[in-house]
Amino acid sequence: MALRIVKLFASAATTTTTTARPTVSKFFYETTAQIAAGNTLTIAVGSFEDDTGAAATTLPALAADNSYFKVEINGVLQMSDTLAYTAGGAGTGQLEITVPAGSDPIEAQTPIVLEVVNYDPQSSSTTTITT
């Protein structure tokens, strides 16, 4: 028999399934007075209502690298540099909205919606090896 290289044959296939698993929390507020340009509106957690209409008791923490929050004023999405979000309960949790100088004011009775989204991704993999 002639010389030859003998090698092992193996192949592998991996299937990975990932689920995003988002948790969405929405909070609602209506301004009570006009907020003029150059001023900051601070909304404490207890001033927000949740999806059921009850007073909010805590603003959720933002999961590192797996979360975001957004704010809509009168249905319009706002720029993040005008916002400051602090998670927590009474005395801590709040949203600050800075109305830039030269901007239009936020009028009284304007609806403000805060949405916080945290993801808890889960993955599972199955590898099949054929020799």
Side-chain angles (χ1 to χ4, degrees):
M1 179 186 304
L3 293 176
R4 59 193 165 129
I5 302 289
V6 179
K7 50 186 177 175
L8 179 65
F9 170 80
S11 68
T14 300
T15 302
T16 302
T17 303
T18 301
T19 306
R21 297 175 32 139
T23 299
V24 179
S25 303
K26 291 182 278 185
F27 302 93
F28 306 89
Y29 175 79
E30 188 175 287
T31 59
T32 57
Q34 184 187 73
I35 311 303
N39 291 304
T40 298
L41 170 61
T42 300
I43 309 168
V45 62
S47 297
F48 281 106
E49 294 179 348
D50 63 18
D51 267 334
T52 69
T57 56
T58 189
L59 295 178
L62 296 171
D65 299 323
N66 273 325
S67 63
Y68 69 89
F69 75 94
K70 67 179 186 174
V71 175
E72 295 177 8
I73 299 176
N74 206 25
V76 179
L77 186 62
Q78 300 301 302
M79 297 176 179
S80 63
D81 283 353
T82 63
L83 309 170
Y85 175 80
T86 305
T92 305
Q94 66 182 24
L95 174 68
E96 293 180 336
I97 303 170
T98 301
V99 181
S103 178
D104 290 334
I106 300 173
E107 299 296 338
Q109 284 77 50
T110 298
I112 296 176
V113 178
L114 165 65
E115 184 177 65
V116 179
V117 179
N118 279 295
Y119 292 96
D120 180 23
Q122 301 291 313
S123 293
S124 62
S125 294
T126 304
T127 301
T128 305
I129 298 173
T130 306
T131 58

